[in-house]
Amino acid sequence: MEIWNSIFTRIVAGGIYMIPIIFLSILMFSFVLFRGITVWLVHRELNALFLHGLEHMNPSGKWNIRAHEYRQFRSGIETIDFALRETLSQELVGRVGTGNGILLCAALATLLGLLGTVSGMITSFEAIYDYGVGNTKSMSAGISQALITTQSGLLVSIVGVMLGKLLSRMTFRLEQKVLHFYTLIEQNT
């Protein structure tokens, strides 16, 4: 219970800018969760296909439909077929998402933290102007707001960039697996 009181106290001290920072962090983590689960599920499906062999594909399954689509459009010319495999792979992986939402939330959290810093410093300078340097309580409230919003914005941003990069790597590996899937379809035809 003590930790929740401490967190709540910091959120209140951070001022109004903490609300959008919290909202952005929740939105960012929901993007991470959705994209991570989607990438993981497609990886799992492809691993099962590679493990059991392509001949055991479900005839009405989506991977069999993708294989049929590739077979229908291939030309027999290696460079054109390679471009087709790449295009189909990128199209499928593009449905997983680019991760731009995660990086946008991270960038906005940094900017909101900076905005909270400026607002907190203005509050501190107003307290100095109104009461002089003798009223440390008013002055420290502004400095506290400035530091807490900066810290919160940077924390959300750092975690967002790290998770965004991790998911980008996972997505790249997924694209390579899908490309390998189409290559195996080419070899089995």
Side-chain angles (χ1 to χ4, degrees):
M1 194 63 171
E2 181 76 25
I3 194 163
W4 292 110
N5 288 335
S6 174
I7 290 172
F8 182 73
T9 303
R10 286 182 189 253
I11 289 172
V12 169
I16 193 73
Y17 296 102
M18 290 300 290
I19 294 169
I21 290 173
I22 291 169
F23 173 74
L24 280 173
S25 68
I26 292 169
L27 183 65
M28 183 183 70
F29 284 115
S30 64
F31 284 153
V32 167
L33 189 62
F34 173 75
R35 186 164 178 218
I37 289 172
T38 305
V39 168
W40 178 74
L41 287 172
V42 176
H43 267 292
R44 201 176 83 177
E45 289 174 1
L46 282 170
N47 286 339
L49 271 178
F50 295 151
L51 181 67
H52 299 299
L54 298 179
E55 62 274 356
H56 296 310
M57 281 192 298
N58 180 358
S60 61
K62 66 181 173 186
W63 292 104
N64 197 21
I65 292 169
R66 294 194 182 284
H68 177 71
E69 178 183 50
Y70 173 69
R71 287 183 189 117
Q72 179 182 0
F73 291 113
R74 69 188 181 109
S75 66
I77 302 170
E78 182 57 36
T79 55
I80 294 174
D81 288 347
F82 180 75
L84 176 64
R85 287 192 298 266
E86 265 192 347
T87 302
L88 290 173
S89 299
Q90 289 171 356
E91 182 266 333
L92 173 67
V93 173
R95 291 183 185 172
V96 170
T98 60
N100 290 340
I102 298 167
L103 297 177
L104 179 65
C105 287
L108 287 175
T110 303
L111 293 174
L112 282 168
L114 179 62
L115 189 61
T117 301
V118 172
S119 175
M121 294 310 293
I122 289 172
T123 303
S124 294
F125 289 131
E126 285 175 347
I128 290 172
Y129 180 77
D130 291 341
Y131 306 109
V133 290
N135 190 349
T136 57
K137 188 172 186 176
S138 296
M139 200 168 65
S140 66
I143 293 171
S144 177
Q145 176 185 350
L147 294 176
I148 289 173
T149 56
T150 303
Q151 180 186 33
S152 301
L154 287 175
L155 183 65
V156 170
S157 181
I158 289 169
V159 171
V161 169
M162 288 173 43
L163 288 174
K165 287 296 182 184
L166 177 70
L167 284 170
S168 291
R169 251 192 265 150
M170 289 174 64
T171 304
F172 177 76
R173 285 197 307 259
L174 176 64
E175 188 175 337
Q176 297 303 310
K177 275 187 180 179
V178 172
L179 192 60
H180 181 67
F181 167 75
Y182 286 120
T183 304
L184 288 177
I185 295 299
E186 176 75 27
Q187 292 170 354
N188 288 341
T189 305

